[in-house]
Amino acid sequence: MTTSITVTLASPAAHQDVIELVGARLQHLTRAEVAWPFESPEVFTHLVVAVARDDDEHLLGVGLSLRPTFAPPDRSMLRVVVARDHEGHGVGSALRRFLLPLVPDTTRRLGGGVYDDEPRSLEIVRHWGFGVEEHAIDSALDLVEHPPEAPVVPAGVDLEEVPDLEFDDEGAVEAMLRASQTNPEAAVGFVMTLEKFRTMTTTGEIPICVVARVDGAPAGISYGTVSAGELFIAYSGIDPTFRGRGLMRLVKQQAHVAATGAGATKARTNNEEHNSGIRRINAELGYVVRSGAYRLVQDLAAEDSR
C-alpha cells in the first residue's frame, strides 16, 4: 500500500520511464503515440510532465499538461495515468492538483480522455468535473491483408497526390477544406487548415495528401502521415457541394495506395461514433474497430465562477 505520495516535475532523464509507464497502462496506444508529445516539440508547444513517487522512489503515476498546435486557442489537455498496482490511493488526484496551476493561462476548456473499456476511470474524471464531449472510434486496416488498388476514377474527377501541401490555387483548396468540416470535432473548435496539417507533420514522418478535383475544382481531401510503417489519417472530408459522388472512398483509397508506396503496412483512423457515413466507408474498405475512447472536457471558466 502507498504510504506517501510526492509529486514533482519530471526531468528529461525520467521521460523514458514516463513513456514506459503510460505504454504499459494504456495498451491501446502504440509506442509512437505515447512518445509523440515528448518527441515533437514543434507540435506540442506546451508540455509539463509530472511524476508521483513513494518514499522508496517507486514511480506510482505520471501526469501531463499539454497543448498541441492544432487545438483551439482556449483549450489544452490534461493526461493522468496511474500504474495499475497503485490505483485507488489518491495518486491521480495528487497529480491533477499539482498540474492544474501549470496549464496555459489561455486555457478555458480542459480536455482529456479515457478508453470506453475503463468504466472506473470514467467515473473518476466525471467526479473531477469532466463531461463527455464525444465517443471516438479508432479503426485499423491491414494494408498487407487488404492491399490497396488504384481507384477507378469517373470522368471529370482527378485525384492529386500533394504531400508538400503546395497548391497553385491554395485559396480554393483552403476554402474546400473549411467547407468540408461539418464533423463533430470542428463543431467544438478543432478546425483543420492547411497550415495545421503542415505543423502536424514531424521529423521522420512522411506526409500523405490526396485532393479530389471535379472539373478542376477542389472537392475533397484526405491528409495523414506515415510513421513506423503505419498511416494515420488525420482528416478526410468532402465539400458538401460535391457529396454523393463517392469521392470520400476515392480519396481514402488513393491515400492507401500512396501510403503503401511509402512503406505503410497498416492504416488507422479515428471517427466520432455517430459519423455513420465515414464509418460505413471505412468498414467497406476493410477497417476493423480497434478501440473506443470518450473525449472529455471541463469548463474551467464555469469552475472559476462558482
Side-chain angles (χ1 to χ4, degrees):
M1 174 161 310
T2 303
T3 57
S4 67
I5 302 168
T6 301
V7 180
T8 60
L9 292 175
S11 68
H15 285 180
Q16 188 56 47
D17 290 339
V18 171
I19 291 170
E20 290 180 5
L21 186 149
V22 175
R25 180 62 182 81
L26 302 180
Q27 296 185 8
H28 291 304
L29 292 175
T30 66
R31 196 274 175 193
E33 288 171 317
V34 175
W36 190 30
F38 301 91
E39 298 177 352
S40 305
E42 66 274 33
V43 177
F44 292 89
T45 52
H46 166 84
L47 175 64
V48 177
V49 184
V51 291
R53 300 184 185 274
D54 63 13
D55 291 337
D56 296 320
E57 290 296 307
H58 295 136
L59 187 59
L60 310 177
V62 300
L64 284 71
S65 168
L66 61 166
R67 185 182 184 282
T69 55
F70 52 84
D74 67 342
R75 185 183 292 234
S76 65
M77 301 173 65
L78 187 72
R79 172 177 285 178
V80 173
V81 181
V82 179
R84 183 76 71 182
D85 292 345
H86 299 287
E87 292 180 342
H89 300 296
V91 177
S93 294
L95 285 161
R96 175 177 175 270
R97 285 194 301 270
F98 182 90
L99 285 171
L100 277 178
L102 304 179
V103 303
D105 292 340
T106 57
T107 303
R108 297 296 177 268
R109 293 171 66 79
L110 190 63
V114 298
Y115 284 101
D116 58 10
D117 57 0
E118 296 260 5
R120 182 177 178 278
S121 296
L122 180 61
E123 181 181 350
I124 290 170
V125 294
R126 283 186 182 278
H127 174 73
W128 288 349
F130 284 90
V132 175
E133 190 168 53
E134 68 176 49
H135 185 202
I137 304 299
D138 192 89
S139 304
L141 170 65
D142 188 325
L143 295 172
V144 176
E145 183 178 338
H146 301 278
E149 297 181 359
V152 178
V153 181
V157 175
D158 293 298
L159 298 177
E160 297 179 346
E161 294 183 21
V162 197
D164 61 3
L165 295 173
E166 296 294 332
F167 302 94
D168 291 337
D169 58 345
E170 180 164 325
V173 175
E174 189 77 66
M176 173 273 293
L177 173 59
R178 289 182 177 273
S180 74
Q181 295 179 70
T182 57
N183 53 315
E185 293 84 354
V188 297
F190 285 88
V191 176
M192 294 298 174
T193 65
L194 293 176
E195 185 56 32
K196 286 185 178 181
F197 286 160
R198 295 180 184 116
T199 61
M200 288 170 65
T201 306
T202 63
T203 303
E205 293 182 328
I206 301 172
I208 302 292
C209 179
V210 176
V211 170
R213 292 180 180 270
V214 175
D215 297 327
I221 190 170
S222 185
Y223 176 80
T225 57
V226 173
S227 177
E230 180 176 274
L231 165 68
F232 181 76
I233 298 179
Y235 179 76
S236 297
I238 307 297
D239 187 320
T241 304
F242 297 100
R243 290 179 182 168
R245 307 185 188 203
L247 297 179
M248 178 67 83
R249 173 187 285 271
L250 295 179
V251 294
K252 295 199 80 167
Q253 284 181 295
Q254 191 62 40
H256 295 157
V257 171
T260 301
T265 59
K266 180 186 291 186
R268 282 185 46 232
T269 189
N270 194 283
N271 303 104
E272 203 275 333
E273 176 186 23
H274 298 103
N275 195 339
S276 57
I278 187 62
R279 291 191 63 202
R280 174 181 54 79
I281 291 172
N282 289 341
E284 291 172 354
L285 289 171
Y287 280 84
V288 177
V289 172
R290 195 184 76 156
S291 63
Y294 294 112
R295 292 175 178 165
L296 309 163
V297 67
Q298 181 178 16
D299 189 338
L300 296 184
E303 291 291 318
D304 291 343
S305 65
R306 290 181 180 177

